[in-house]
Amino acid sequence: MSDLPHCPTCNSEYTYQDGEMYVCPECAHEWPQVAAAKSEEDEAIIKDSNGNILSDGDSVTVIKDLKVKGSSSVVKVGTKVKNIRLVDGDHDIDCKIEGIGAMKLKSGFVKKI
């Protein structure tokens, strides 16, 4: 059985590889192999400090005092953050913290409630 992806246009299973491209013989659609590889990577799994999978809308707790860059305030241990949003990048959580405002956090410094 072939491990080539199905055609994204007509969902045909009879695709074949032609150099750096995949080709569908039924609808003549061509697409690069790189695009197929990126679509699998787009669904990155983000985990908290305990290994629990995080998703948009989750509530988390901060597990370490975090200094706020450019300010003298600190996010204390145990601060609850509601309704997080996952984003790409080094700081992979966007959120709003009461008393501080909008922030980006690293998933390694939070745990899921």
Side-chain angles (χ1 to χ4, degrees), residues 44-112:
I45 297 174
I46 298 175
K47 296 183 179 182
D48 70 356
S49 62
N50 294 333
N52 298 320
I53 297 174
L54 296 173
S55 59
D56 287 342
D58 283 345
S59 295
V60 295
T61 303
V62 178
I63 62 166
K64 179 182 177 183
D65 282 345
L66 301 172
K67 295 180 182 177
V68 179
K69 197 171 194 175
S71 174
S72 62
S73 58
V74 175
V75 179
K76 298 284 189 178
V77 173
T79 302
K80 293 181 183 177
V81 181
K82 299 177 187 176
N83 199 17
I84 65 170
R85 188 168 45 106
L86 302 178
V87 295
D88 291 334
D90 187 31
H91 292 75
D92 44 14
I93 298 174
D94 266 347
C95 61
K96 287 185 181 177
I97 299 176
E98 277 189 47
I100 295 176
M103 285 196 65
K104 290 190 175 197
L105 300 172
K106 290 186 178 184
S107 58
F109 297 118
V110 299
K111 69 177 181 180
K112 190 173 182 177

Side-chain angles (χ1 to χ4, degrees), residues 16-38:
Y16 63 92
Q17 185 176 354
D18 184 25
E20 296 293 319
M21 304 288 280
Y22 289 125
V23 180
C24 175
E26 293 183 2
C27 70
H29 179 69
E30 296 182 4
W31 69 101
Q33 292 178 15
V34 177
K38 284 185 180 177

